[in-house]
């Protein structure tokens, strides 16, 4: 046996004559790697995979290559810890010289690594190197995939090493990486006789004689690691001489083992332990004879150190010297049974069963299943369950389905794409309608988490639309609402299925009863109706339609849908409560698309209520999470951030954020496209490009037109367009656009929708008729939570009155608009309002982005005392004002800050100066 084949190249001895040994016979592949580095920079980034059997010298060649090019190339190496990258020419292997400079303070996201590579490529060529890519490092492998997809034309070379192992040993992330990119494979061959002679000459300090060279070739087969191990045994060093002196038997070699000792050694290798009773039972040898054989093996140092159990469950076990694999194969099944009967842990039994490649008995499948339940990591559980499926072909179908179902559930958290494969297999062979519905929902959940919501919708449709008389298994009627609601919610997320899903929702049968599935289906239909500009029947409070708890994509989708409905129907408190249920669950360690999506939706809801500072915090948090953990630069959160900044009047900052978003990436955003074009229009309008702004607004309208979301409340682009057309001197067109919005908005029948229609018509209508419409819009919007829209209406009316020569009537309108904008955190957008107020003879306050600056000095004092716990009567006594005046001040404060009661003031005015600490008369509060 060639035990030395499993030994690594010694890294700690790379000094003196041995330092050049790894290059023997490797000049050609090394030159090929260097040549690819020189040619990198045109077309897709080149990618090279070094492969070959264990011990062939892949790591040594990669290390030598990195050291060779480090003087003129930036070398980034993946470390043994997932997500950790190093900027160094030294090795990053756990068994090699420590690296010099880790990048960042911890694991790098795909986006951060890509940013680093792009920055380095501006200075010159870059090499990304990963040794032993077959090890389970999903974040590092995912980062390589992300960089390769986005680095065309950069002077970049990616080099990985992968041993020539069966495909079943590849992690799913490596399989995906190899499948999606064009790899140039450099397969390292065994060393020739001349190369072996060169290595021996360097290691031994002399040319080997023909007999020694022949023996080395026979023992090593030209594998570099085995050649080095052979050289260690024959090197004329003090350590070698001391070994020979200390053990006279070693001068003659171990020699052939006695038959009894060989049998005991085989048993120890199979069992993974040297328990005499188990060994005796396995090979049917008396215990005294086993003890004598064990003593003989110990004297000759033939027993495996620590038993033959592999450090990692499922790893290939080293076969001891003097024993062949053929000797071991017949023993594995009996050894596993003995260990199970002896009450050993299930994982110990399963590790033995992993060595069996076929002919499983039912008890073996149960043992592997039990081991998966007791496994200390998902990877180990997947290994046991996968092996059970591999060797269990032809066994009981029900048992295999149970194993596959458990495997799919485990893979959902580690390799979702592979989990979908197993769930699809279960789906295709299901014979029970309820089980079919359950598997379909689990598969849809997994697909949504993978960003394949359109596939989830089509899969659910294929299950729901099975004809009863077709002979196929169908889901029972009571399960259909759950699947139908999942179909509508998932299909609405993608452009390719959104139109079809909306059409399906119109013909969907009204669910019967009040089961969770029926309520979820009513919720989905109502959400699609609202987003399509159609009336929706909402029984009771819409936010209460959400069922289930956060934790699965479908449950969280239903909560998001309920919040959208509640927001569009002016139930904003309920909308925020539904979103907070998702955000209160514990953070995931890795990517969490649901949290990112929820933060974006909450930012938009807060925008609608006029709480712009909190909206910006949520949007920036979503962008940070997406860039930290996601495989994208955070296009969707970036659009929301830019939209909020534009609302706040920070046009330059919004333009900078939007500049990093390409038009092609925006096309897949679907419901966020209107935000992108609205923000682009705001930027163009601020620069005086009114016609360009109008073009952008019409683009926003097209994304909401037929085949997309037509709701005028999702983003009222037509309001801005009517205002722009009026400013451009095209009132007839402005009235047509306003009328189009007016046709759809009444479906919602809320103060906000009515106010929107009146505001658009008022902007497009001159004279006293327009004034009356704007006044009605102000009254309607004052009843809604849309404070920014109310500010817009107050400003429009005040400006119209001022232009008609009535500054006295214009002044309170403009002051109200200014106070509302400052209270919303949009003070930087209120410069025009401030100028018009000054023109009307008012004294405008200083513009800031702090909502508290919208209050007068007296309102601030009243608010501070209310926050400190004073009653209205106590506040009146403390400030020497009437109780009615206190109530008026509080009412104005609530309106300006968008709150409903004094308990909410602390969230908006956390650091208000002047808050009293004692009550009247010095009583401590």
């Amino acid at each position: 046996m060639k035990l030395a084949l499993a030994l690594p190249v010694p890294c700690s001895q790379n000094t003196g004559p041995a330092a050049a040994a790894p290059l023997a016979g490797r000049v050609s592949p090394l030159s090929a790697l260097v040549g690819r580095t020189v040619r990198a920079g045109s077309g897709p980034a080149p990618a090279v995979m070094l492969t070959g059997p264990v011990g062939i010298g892949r790591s040594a060649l990669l290390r030598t290559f990195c050291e060779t090019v480090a003087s003129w190339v930036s070398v980034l190496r993946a470390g043994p810890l997932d997500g950790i990258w190093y900027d160094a020419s030294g090795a990053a292997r756990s068994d090699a010289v420590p690296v010099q400079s880790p990048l960042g303070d911890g694991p790098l996201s795909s986006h951060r690594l890509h940013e680093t590579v792009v920055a380095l490529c501006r200075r010159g060529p870059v090499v990304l190197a990963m040794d032993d890519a077959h090890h389970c490092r999903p974040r590092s492998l995912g980062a390589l995939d992300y960089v390769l997809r986005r680095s065309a034309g950069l002077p970049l070379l990616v080099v990985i090493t992968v041993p020539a192992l069966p495909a079943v040993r590849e992690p799913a992330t490596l399989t995906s990486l190899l499948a999606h990119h064009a790899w140039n494979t450099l397969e390292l061959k065994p060393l020739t006789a001349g190369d072996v002679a060169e290595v021996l000459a360097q290691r031994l300090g002399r040319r080997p004689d023909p007999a020694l060279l022949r023996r080395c070739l026979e023992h090593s087969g030209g594998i570099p690691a085995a050649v080095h191990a052979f050289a260690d045994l024959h090197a004329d060093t003090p350590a070698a001489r001391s070994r020979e002196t200390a053990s006279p038997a070693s001068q003659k070699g171990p020699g052939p083992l006695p038959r009894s000792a060989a049998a005991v050694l085989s048993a120890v290798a199979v069992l993974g332990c040297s328990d005499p009773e188990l060994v005796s039972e396995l090979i049917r040898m008396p215990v005294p004879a086993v003890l004598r054989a064990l003593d003989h093996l110990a004297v000759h140092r033939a027993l495996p150190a620590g038993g033959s159990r592999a450090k990692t469950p499922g790893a290939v076990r080293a076969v001891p010297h003097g024993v062949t694999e053929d000797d071991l194969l017949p023993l594995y099944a009996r050894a596993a049974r003995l260990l199970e009967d002896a009450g050993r842990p299930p994982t110990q039994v399963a590790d033995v069963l992993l060595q069996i490649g076929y002919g499983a008995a039912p008890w073996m499948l149960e043992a592997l299943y039990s081991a998966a339940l007791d496994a200390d990591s998902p990877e180990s559980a997947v290994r046991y369950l996968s092996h059970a499926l591999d060797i269990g072909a032809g066994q009981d179908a029900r048992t295999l389905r149970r194993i596959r179902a458990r495997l799919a559930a485990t893979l959902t958290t580690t390799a979702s794409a592979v989990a979908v494969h197993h769930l699809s297999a279960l789906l295709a062979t299901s014979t029970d309608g309820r089980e079919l519905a359950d598997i379909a929902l689990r598969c849809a959940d997994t697909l949504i988490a993978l960003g394949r919501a359109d596939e989830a919708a089509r899969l659910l449709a294929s299950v729901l639309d099975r004809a009863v008389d077709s002979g196929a298994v169908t889901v029972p009627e009571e399960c259909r609402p759950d699947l139908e609601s999942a179909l509508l919610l998932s299909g609405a997320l993608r452009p390719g299925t959104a139109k079809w899903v909306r059409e399906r929702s119109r013909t969907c049968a009204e669910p019967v009863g009040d089961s969770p599935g029926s309520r979820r289906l009513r919720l989905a239909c109502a959400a699609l109706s609202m987003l399509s500009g159609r009336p929706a029947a909402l029984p009771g409070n819409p936010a209460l339609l959400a069922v289930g708890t956060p934790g699965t994509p479908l449950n969280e989708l239903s909560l998001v849908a309920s919040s959208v409905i509640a927001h569009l129907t002016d139930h904003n408190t309920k909308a925020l409560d539904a979103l907070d249920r998702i955000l209160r669950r514990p953070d995931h360690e890795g990517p969490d698309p649901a949290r990112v999506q929820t933060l974006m939706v909450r930012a938009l809801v807060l925008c609608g209520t006029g709480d712009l500072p909190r909206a910006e915090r949520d949007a920036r948090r979503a962008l940070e999470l997406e860039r930290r953990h996601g495989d994208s630069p955070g296009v969707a959160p970036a659009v929301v951030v830019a939209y909020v900044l534009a609302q706040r009047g920070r046009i330059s900052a919004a333009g900078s954020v939007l500049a990093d978003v390409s038009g092609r990436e925006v096309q897949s955003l679907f419901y966020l496209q209107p935000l992108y074009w609205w923000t682009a229009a705001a930027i163009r309008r601020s620069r005086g490009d009114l016609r360009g702004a109008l073009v952008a607004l019409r683009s926003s309208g097209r994304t909401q037109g037929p085949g997309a979301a037509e709701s005028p409340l999702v983003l009222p682009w037509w309001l801005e367009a009517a205002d722009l057309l009026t400013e451009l001197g095209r009132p007839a067109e402005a009235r047509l656009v306003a009328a189009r919005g007016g046709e759809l908005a009444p479906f919602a029948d809320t103060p906000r929708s009515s106010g929107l229609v009146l505001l658009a018509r008022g902007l497009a209508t001159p004279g006293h008729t327009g004034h009356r419409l704007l006044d009605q819009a102000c009254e309607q919007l004052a009843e809604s939570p849309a404070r920014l829209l109310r500010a817009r209406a107050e400003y429009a009316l005040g400006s119209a009155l001022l232009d008609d020569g009535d500054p006295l009537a214009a002044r309170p309108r403009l002051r109200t608009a200014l106070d509302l904008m400052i209270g919303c955190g949009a003070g930087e957008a209120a410069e025009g309002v401030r100028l018009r107020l000054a023109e009307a003879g008012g004294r405008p306050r200083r513009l800031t982005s702090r909502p508290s600056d919208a209050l007068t000095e007296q309102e601030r004092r009243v608010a501070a005392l209310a926050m400190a716990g004073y009653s209205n009567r106590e506040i009146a006594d403390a400030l020497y004002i009437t109780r009615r005046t206190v109530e008026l001040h509080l009412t104005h404060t609530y309106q300006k800050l968008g709150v409903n009661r004094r308990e909410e003031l602390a969230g908006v005015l956390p650091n208000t100066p002047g808050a009293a600490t004692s009550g009247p008369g010095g009583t401590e509060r």
Side-chain angles (χ1 to χ4, degrees), residues 603-617:
L604 296 177
V605 172
L606 291 170
C607 264
T609 62
D611 193 348
L612 296 181
R614 285 180 61 199
E616 183 180 346
R617 286 196 294 272

PDB file of all heavy atoms in Angstrom, residues 603-617:
ATOM      1  N   ALA A 603     -39.609  51.713   4.832  1.00  0.00           N
ATOM      2  CA  ALA A 603     -39.121  53.045   4.454  1.00  0.00           C
ATOM      3  C   ALA A 603     -40.143  53.766   3.581  1.00  0.00           C
ATOM      4  O   ALA A 603     -40.385  54.968   3.745  1.00  0.00           O
ATOM      5  CB  ALA A 603     -37.788  52.925   3.727  1.00  0.00           C
ATOM      6  N   LEU A 604     -40.779  53.041   2.662  1.00  0.00           N
ATOM      7  CA  LEU A 604     -41.765  53.663   1.782  1.00  0.00           C
ATOM      8  C   LEU A 604     -43.038  54.028   2.549  1.00  0.00           C
ATOM      9  O   LEU A 604     -43.660  55.061   2.278  1.00  0.00           O
ATOM     10  CB  LEU A 604     -42.084  52.722   0.618  1.00  0.00           C
ATOM     11  CG  LEU A 604     -40.911  52.439  -0.318  1.00  0.00           C
ATOM     12  CD1 LEU A 604     -41.306  51.438  -1.390  1.00  0.00           C
ATOM     13  CD2 LEU A 604     -40.413  53.721  -0.970  1.00  0.00           C
ATOM     14  N   VAL A 605     -43.438  53.175   3.505  1.00  0.00           N
ATOM     15  CA  VAL A 605     -44.605  53.507   4.325  1.00  0.00           C
ATOM     16  C   VAL A 605     -44.317  54.762   5.149  1.00  0.00           C
ATOM     17  O   VAL A 605     -45.158  55.666   5.264  1.00  0.00           O
ATOM     18  CB  VAL A 605     -44.978  52.325   5.233  1.00  0.00           C
ATOM     19  CG1 VAL A 605     -46.066  52.727   6.226  1.00  0.00           C
ATOM     20  CG2 VAL A 605     -45.450  51.142   4.400  1.00  0.00           C
ATOM     21  N   LEU A 606     -43.123  54.845   5.735  1.00  0.00           N
ATOM     22  CA  LEU A 606     -42.752  56.020   6.519  1.00  0.00           C
ATOM     23  C   LEU A 606     -42.683  57.264   5.642  1.00  0.00           C
ATOM     24  O   LEU A 606     -43.018  58.368   6.090  1.00  0.00           O
ATOM     25  CB  LEU A 606     -41.415  55.778   7.217  1.00  0.00           C
ATOM     26  CG  LEU A 606     -41.441  54.733   8.344  1.00  0.00           C
ATOM     27  CD1 LEU A 606     -40.033  54.400   8.799  1.00  0.00           C
ATOM     28  CD2 LEU A 606     -42.272  55.239   9.519  1.00  0.00           C
ATOM     29  N   CYS A 607     -42.245  57.096   4.404  1.00  0.00           N
ATOM     30  CA  CYS A 607     -42.273  58.214   3.461  1.00  0.00           C
ATOM     31  C   CYS A 607     -43.705  58.713   3.276  1.00  0.00           C
ATOM     32  O   CYS A 607     -43.959  59.916   3.248  1.00  0.00           O
ATOM     33  CB  CYS A 607     -41.708  57.784   2.106  1.00  0.00           C
ATOM     34  SG  CYS A 607     -39.982  58.183   1.877  1.00  0.00           S
ATOM     35  N   GLY A 608     -44.627  57.769   3.125  1.00  0.00           N
ATOM     36  CA  GLY A 608     -46.007  58.140   2.910  1.00  0.00           C
ATOM     37  C   GLY A 608     -46.617  58.872   4.087  1.00  0.00           C
ATOM     38  O   GLY A 608     -47.523  59.687   3.926  1.00  0.00           O
ATOM     39  N   THR A 609     -46.104  58.605   5.306  1.00  0.00           N
ATOM     40  CA  THR A 609     -46.624  59.297   6.482  1.00  0.00           C
ATOM     41  C   THR A 609     -45.841  60.557   6.794  1.00  0.00           C
ATOM     42  O   THR A 609     -46.216  61.303   7.702  1.00  0.00           O
ATOM     43  CB  THR A 609     -46.569  58.375   7.716  1.00  0.00           C
ATOM     44  OG1 THR A 609     -45.199  58.033   7.978  1.00  0.00           O
ATOM     45  CG2 THR A 609     -47.368  57.118   7.480  1.00  0.00           C
ATOM     46  N   GLY A 610     -44.751  60.782   6.065  1.00  0.00           N
ATOM     47  CA  GLY A 610     -43.971  61.996   6.279  1.00  0.00           C
ATOM     48  C   GLY A 610     -42.887  61.870   7.324  1.00  0.00           C
ATOM     49  O   GLY A 610     -42.340  62.883   7.773  1.00  0.00           O
ATOM     50  N   ASP A 611     -42.527  60.661   7.723  1.00  0.00           N
ATOM     51  CA  ASP A 611     -41.433  60.468   8.684  1.00  0.00           C
ATOM     52  C   ASP A 611     -40.172  60.157   7.894  1.00  0.00           C
ATOM     53  O   ASP A 611     -39.695  59.011   7.851  1.00  0.00           O
ATOM     54  CB  ASP A 611     -41.784  59.344   9.651  1.00  0.00           C
ATOM     55  CG  ASP A 611     -40.850  59.306  10.853  1.00  0.00           C
ATOM     56  OD1 ASP A 611     -39.809  59.991  10.817  1.00  0.00           O
ATOM     57  OD2 ASP A 611     -41.168  58.589  11.819  1.00  0.00           O
ATOM     58  N   LEU A 612     -39.593  61.173   7.272  1.00  0.00           N
ATOM     59  CA  LEU A 612     -38.481  60.952   6.359  1.00  0.00           C
ATOM     60  C   LEU A 612     -37.174  60.567   7.054  1.00  0.00           C
ATOM     61  O   LEU A 612     -36.408  59.770   6.498  1.00  0.00           O
ATOM     62  CB  LEU A 612     -38.269  62.201   5.495  1.00  0.00           C
ATOM     63  CG  LEU A 612     -39.437  62.541   4.564  1.00  0.00           C
ATOM     64  CD1 LEU A 612     -39.113  63.778   3.740  1.00  0.00           C
ATOM     65  CD2 LEU A 612     -39.757  61.378   3.646  1.00  0.00           C
ATOM     66  N   PRO A 613     -36.833  61.104   8.241  1.00  0.00           N
ATOM     67  CA  PRO A 613     -35.587  60.650   8.885  1.00  0.00           C
ATOM     68  C   PRO A 613     -35.577  59.146   9.161  1.00  0.00           C
ATOM     69  O   PRO A 613     -34.589  58.466   8.883  1.00  0.00           O
ATOM     70  CB  PRO A 613     -35.545  61.475  10.182  1.00  0.00           C
ATOM     71  CG  PRO A 613     -36.336  62.705   9.868  1.00  0.00           C
ATOM     72  CD  PRO A 613     -37.434  62.244   8.962  1.00  0.00           C
ATOM     73  N   ARG A 614     -36.679  58.610   9.697  1.00  0.00           N
ATOM     74  CA  ARG A 614     -36.731  57.156   9.939  1.00  0.00           C
ATOM     75  C   ARG A 614     -36.746  56.393   8.632  1.00  0.00           C
ATOM     76  O   ARG A 614     -36.164  55.306   8.525  1.00  0.00           O
ATOM     77  CB  ARG A 614     -37.967  56.807  10.766  1.00  0.00           C
ATOM     78  CG  ARG A 614     -37.857  57.169  12.245  1.00  0.00           C
ATOM     79  CD  ARG A 614     -39.121  56.776  12.977  1.00  0.00           C
ATOM     80  NE  ARG A 614     -39.362  55.337  12.910  1.00  0.00           N
ATOM     81  CZ  ARG A 614     -40.541  54.781  13.142  1.00  0.00           C
ATOM     82  NH1 ARG A 614     -41.597  55.535  13.432  1.00  0.00           N
ATOM     83  NH2 ARG A 614     -40.682  53.465  13.065  1.00  0.00           N
ATOM     84  N   ALA A 615     -37.400  56.928   7.615  1.00  0.00           N
ATOM     85  CA  ALA A 615     -37.417  56.265   6.309  1.00  0.00           C
ATOM     86  C   ALA A 615     -36.006  56.156   5.753  1.00  0.00           C
ATOM     87  O   ALA A 615     -35.618  55.114   5.211  1.00  0.00           O
ATOM     88  CB  ALA A 615     -38.308  57.034   5.342  1.00  0.00           C
ATOM     89  N   GLU A 616     -35.221  57.209   5.895  1.00  0.00           N
ATOM     90  CA  GLU A 616     -33.840  57.160   5.387  1.00  0.00           C
ATOM     91  C   GLU A 616     -33.015  56.143   6.168  1.00  0.00           C
ATOM     92  O   GLU A 616     -32.217  55.403   5.583  1.00  0.00           O
ATOM     93  CB  GLU A 616     -33.196  58.542   5.474  1.00  0.00           C
ATOM     94  CG  GLU A 616     -31.787  58.564   4.902  1.00  0.00           C
ATOM     95  CD  GLU A 616     -31.134  59.933   4.974  1.00  0.00           C
ATOM     96  OE1 GLU A 616     -31.845  60.933   5.219  1.00  0.00           O
ATOM     97  OE2 GLU A 616     -29.895  60.016   4.789  1.00  0.00           O
ATOM     98  N   ARG A 617     -33.223  56.077   7.493  1.00  0.00           N
ATOM     99  CA  ARG A 617     -32.466  55.099   8.287  1.00  0.00           C
ATOM    100  C   ARG A 617     -32.792  53.678   7.841  1.00  0.00           C
ATOM    101  O   ARG A 617     -31.905  52.830   7.715  1.00  0.00           O
ATOM    102  CB  ARG A 617     -32.770  55.284   9.777  1.00  0.00           C
ATOM    103  CG  ARG A 617     -32.129  56.494  10.404  1.00  0.00           C
ATOM    104  CD  ARG A 617     -32.140  56.400  11.926  1.00  0.00           C
ATOM    105  NE  ARG A 617     -33.481  56.448  12.469  1.00  0.00           N
ATOM    106  CZ  ARG A 617     -34.121  57.564  12.789  1.00  0.00           C
ATOM    107  NH1 ARG A 617     -33.535  58.736  12.612  1.00  0.00           N
ATOM    108  NH2 ARG A 617     -35.337  57.526  13.301  1.00  0.00           N
TER     109      ARG A 617
END
